[in-house]
Amino acid sequence: MNLFTLDINCDVGEGIGNEKELMPMISSCSIACGGHAGDSATIKEVIRLALLHRVHIGAHPSYPDKANFGRKVMEIPFDKLQQNLENQINTVHVELRKSVATMNHVKAHGALYNKAAVDAETAQCLINAVKNTTKDVWLYAPYGSVLAEMALEQGLKVRYEAFIDRNYNADLTLVSRSEPNAVIFDAKKVLKHLLRMVTKRKVKTIDGSVVKIKAKTYCIHGDNNNALRILKYLSIKLPNFGIKIG
């Protein structure tokens, strides 16, 4: 039986320390690069693990706000934010060059990801940073977002991303983490959520409506307390539906 290969990505290097267990069960990773978490030492170690397990490597820049884990919008001039994002991405480049490895993608983190999805100025700031630091890499972005549309118009390669452990609003924004039902912890619910997105290209939103969605990569958060349990469950159950992670 030929299985459909699914890209599962995970945000890593964020101080949780579970990368050794995560890497065998994912196919792409986005490494925190100093904005909300991480430094050269953690980046180097995560790259080592990713290469060991043949996992695609990306940079995971954010607002420079470790105090809030990059999950609050910062009031910062766009020129300063762009320079900071470029520095973060380049920090990953430096460690990749030491390992004779290449960058697969860039994916913004937290509040920056969510803001760039809906705000043109923030999206342009991120796009500029990616243009100035990378060549021929993917930008992970939500389907139908301002970021994705602007990046495509400006010649960047965009890979649509969806979240398997997060609930969605009807406009395809993510339910705020301030809400109790923002994160999905139950492995069976994650599987159902994922299968609907993969097989039907639809997502059931928090208000019960079913909305069209497209994705080529699917994220689980490394700081989800049940991330390892969910991934183990998916690795067992997905082949029953003709799907494998890879």
Side-chain angles (χ1 to χ4, degrees), residues 176-192:
S176 171
R177 283 182 177 270
S178 64
E179 300 296 327
N181 52 2
V183 181
I184 306 172
F185 296 102
D186 183 87
K188 291 182 180 179
K189 290 180 179 179
V190 169
L191 176 63
K192 186 176 181 179

Side-chain angles (χ1 to χ4, degrees), residues 112-127:
L112 179 64
Y113 184 99
N114 295 332
K115 185 73 170 178
V118 298
D119 179 70
E121 286 186 296
T122 306
Q124 190 61 59
C125 179
L126 176 58
I127 289 168

Side-chain angles (χ1 to χ4, degrees), residues 77-183:
F78 284 114
D79 59 340
K80 291 185 178 180
L81 176 59
Q82 180 181 322
Q83 185 59 61
N84 189 278
L85 296 176
E86 291 179 13
N87 291 343
Q88 291 182 54
I89 296 168
N90 280 328
T91 301
V92 179
H93 271 308
V94 168
E95 296 304 326
L96 283 170
R97 282 194 290 269
K98 290 178 183 178
S99 300
V100 196
T102 57
M103 186 177 293
N104 177 70
H105 65 275
V106 174
K107 173 191 168 180
H109 167 80
L112 179 64
Y113 184 99
N114 295 332
K115 185 73 170 178
V118 298
D119 179 70
E121 286 186 296
T122 306
Q124 190 61 59
C125 179
L126 176 58
I127 289 168
N128 290 344
V130 173
K131 282 183 173 181
N132 289 345
T133 55
T134 67
K135 184 178 180 181
D136 198 37
V137 305
W138 294 99
L139 175 64
Y140 285 8
Y143 169 71
S145 65
V146 171
L147 174 61
E149 292 175 3
M150 289 178 61
L152 287 169
E153 288 172 358
Q154 296 177 49
L156 292 183
K157 298 195 312 181
V158 173
R159 179 158 285 174
Y160 293 132
E161 178 182 41
F163 292 83
I164 68 174
D165 64 348
R166 293 293 304 276
N167 277 313
Y168 280 85
N169 296 308
D171 63 357
L172 289 184
T173 58
L174 297 174
V175 174
S176 171
R177 283 182 177 270
S178 64
E179 300 296 327
N181 52 2
V183 181

